[in-house]
Every structure is written in structure tokens, then in C-alpha cells.
Amino acid sequence: MYGRTKGRRLSKKQKLFLRNHGKDLIFDDGKMEEFLHETFRPEENIFDNKKVYLEIGFGSGEHLGHKAERHKESKFIGCDYYLNGIASAVIKITEKELSNVRLFNGDAIKLLNKIPNKSLYEVYLLYPDPWPKFRHLKRRFISDQNLRLLASKLIDGGALKVVTDSDIYFTHIKSVVLTQKISKIFSFKGPDFSQPWKDWYSTKYEEKAKKAGRRSYYMVLKKIIVNSHI
Ligand SMILES: C[S@@+](CC[C@H](N)C(=O)[O-])C[C@H]1O[C@@H](n2cnc3c(N)ncnc32)[C@H](O)[C@@H]1O
């Protein structure tokens, strides 16, 4: 975990919503087993017949809230460790009266390690911290190891959707995805990644990128094989 967990002081509204609704919406390491059991019902192995989406690093939750509102029949898990963002997401979820979203306050890798294999329909990683300096390469979320972990958690045919406005991170992602091993697990189609997918919904960081005149790369990595050896 490399980013900040707290920023400026929480507003009165953020504090109020965290206090009143946080315990119903947020789970942490301590409650993870219980939450995952309720969500995935491993003994029945049917995942409640609902699609489960995961958004890693949801920021203030605009994309997460929008998707959950559009797909009330599905379940959404958001994961972030930035408290101010979590509080903003709690406000959005509560005001939209969404009952199909839960937030994990912690590191995505910890959560992913506990999620049952082949259970996620889609995973979103939108504007992940690019860590552009070479000496911070290891901090980038997209790595060979993390892609294999993500693939093992996606259902067959599921997808990882990634957006970045960093040329350096885009080049990095391509270099990882196009290795022999990973290209057998994920298909990665261009042609130039300049167009968002059909139901794309903008995020705060996309707005920042647009204002600064940076282009974004929209990447869909579709899981292509059933893999027992991932
Ligand atoms: C650059 S912001 C992008 C926020 C949002 N997706 C958007 O597009 O506006 C990256 C977010 O990812 C979160 N993050 C980074 N690494 C993470 C990890 N390992 N687990 C959970 N959240 C993470 C950060 O706290 C931050 O909120």
C-alpha cells in the first residue's frame, strides 16, 4: 500500500454519513470473511446468481455509484484506503439509496487474495496511480503477478477494464500484457485505445486529465482461457 490513507479534514457531512451509514456499507480486514461469505455463498457455489463487479481504487465513488445504480440486479464491491474518498462514496451510495454496494477499506491485494476464484464478472481499475518514476516501478498495480491474481478471480470470459492518462503507464501495461504468459490469459485489443467502452462513465481523474489536455487509454483485458494453473 503506497498511497495516502487520509487527506484534508473530513467535512461535517462526511463525518455524519460515516457515523450513520459506515457500519452498514464498509468492511475492513476484520469483517472480510463474513462479508465475502454473505456475498459469494461458497457453500452453494452460485454467487446468489448475481454478477459481482469490483472497482479497485474507486476514489470518490462516482463511477462505482453510477454503475451500481444502472445495474441494481448486480453486486458491487468498491475498494480503496483513502478515507476522504470512502466518506464521499458513502454519501453517494446512501443518497442514491443503493443496497447493492459495499466498500472495502483496505488494500485491493488483500481483498483479492480472499475472493473466491472465478467469481468476479468485471474488475475496474480507473486511473490507477501511475508511479511514473522508474525507481517506483514496483508500486504500479499492473504487474505480471497481479494480473495472474486478477485472472484467477474473474469468471471465464470476464474482463479487467483499465484506464490511464499516463503514457508511461500505458507503455508499461502493454509490455506486461503482451508477454507470452499473460497474452495467453488476457486478450488485449486496440486499435489505439483512444475510445472508451460503450457504457463508460467519467471519473474525477478523467476530468482532471481532460482539463490538463492529456489523452486517456481505455483498455479491456478479456480473460480468454479457463486456467487451473494460474
Ligand atoms: C489516482 S486515484 C483515481 C481515483 C478514481 N478511480 C478516479 O478515476 O477518479 C487512485 C485511487 O486508487 C487508490 N488505490 C491505490 N492503490 C490501491 C490499492 N492497492 N488498493 C486500494 N485502493 C488503492 C487510491 O487511494 C486512490 O483513491
Side-chain angles (χ1 to χ4, degrees), residues 56-73:
I56 297 171
F58 57 76
S60 307
E62 18 336 87
H63 178 270
L64 182 66
H66 173 81
K67 291 289 293 183
E69 196 175 18
R70 294 288 297 270
H71 297 280
K72 292 210 168 113
E73 72 293 350

Side-chain angles (χ1 to χ4, degrees), residues 183-196:
S183 59
K184 284 185 182 151
I185 304 172
F186 284 114
S187 76
F188 183 62
K189 290 193 184 121
D192 68 355
F193 307 98
S194 65
Q195 296 303 318

Side-chain angles (χ1 to χ4, degrees), residues 40-226:
F40 296 106
R41 299 175 186 229
E43 73 285 5
E44 294 169 35
N45 200 23
I46 52 164
F47 309 127
D48 225 0
N49 282 327
K50 288 184 179 173
K51 288 177 185 164
V52 183
Y53 293 76
L54 170 68
E55 183 168 338
I56 297 171
F58 57 76
S60 307
E62 18 336 87
H63 178 270
L64 182 66
H66 173 81
K67 291 289 293 183
E69 196 175 18
R70 294 288 297 270
H71 297 280
K72 292 210 168 113
E73 72 293 350
S74 301
K75 293 185 178 186
F76 288 80
I77 308 172
C79 171
D80 209 304
Y81 44 63
Y82 181 51
L83 186 64
N84 302 58
I86 293 171
S88 300
V90 167
I91 294 173
K92 290 187 182 80
I93 295 164
T94 310
E95 289 184 340
K96 286 175 187 279
E97 298 182 20
L98 298 173
S99 60
N100 57 341
V101 194
R102 294 293 180 275
L103 306 173
F104 175 63
N105 177 6
D107 188 340
I109 297 300
K110 264 193 182 169
L111 175 66
L112 278 166
N113 276 320
K114 296 277 183 184
I115 283 181
N117 286 346
K118 292 189 179 180
S119 62
L120 298 173
Y121 179 73
E122 274 182 4
V123 177
Y124 295 99
L125 183 66
L126 310 177
Y127 296 90
D129 301 301
W131 298 111
K133 290 185 183 152
F134 185 71
R135 65 191 159 90
H136 290 146
L137 189 77
K138 283 203 168 131
R139 299 184 180 190
R140 294 180 193 158
F141 196 85
I142 297 286
S143 64
D144 176 274
Q145 195 184 358
N146 287 355
L147 282 181
R148 281 184 291 128
L149 176 64
L150 283 159
S152 69
K153 304 301 168 181
L154 283 165
I155 59 167
D156 293 335
L160 166 65
K161 296 185 170 178
V162 187
V163 186
T164 184
D165 60 340
S166 157
D167 296 336
I168 291 173
Y169 206 175
F170 174 63
T171 304
H172 167 79
I173 294 171
K174 267 198 312 192
S175 74
V176 181
V177 176
L178 296 176
T179 56
Q180 218 187 355
K181 248 194 210 162
I182 301 294
S183 59
K184 284 185 182 151
I185 304 172
F186 284 114
S187 76
F188 183 62
K189 290 193 184 121
D192 68 355
F193 307 98
S194 65
Q195 296 303 318
W197 46 86
K198 210 172 70 220
D199 57 350
W200 166 248
Y201 187 78
S202 192
T203 70
K204 203 165 166 177
Y205 270 76
E206 174 161 86
E207 297 310 315
K208 282 190 185 176
K210 276 187 185 159
K211 268 193 194 146
R214 287 190 297 272
R215 71 159 283 186
S216 292
Y217 300 88
Y218 304 86
M219 293 162 272
V220 178
L221 282 73
K222 209 156 171 57
K223 182 174 165 183
I224 49 178
I225 53 168
V226 185

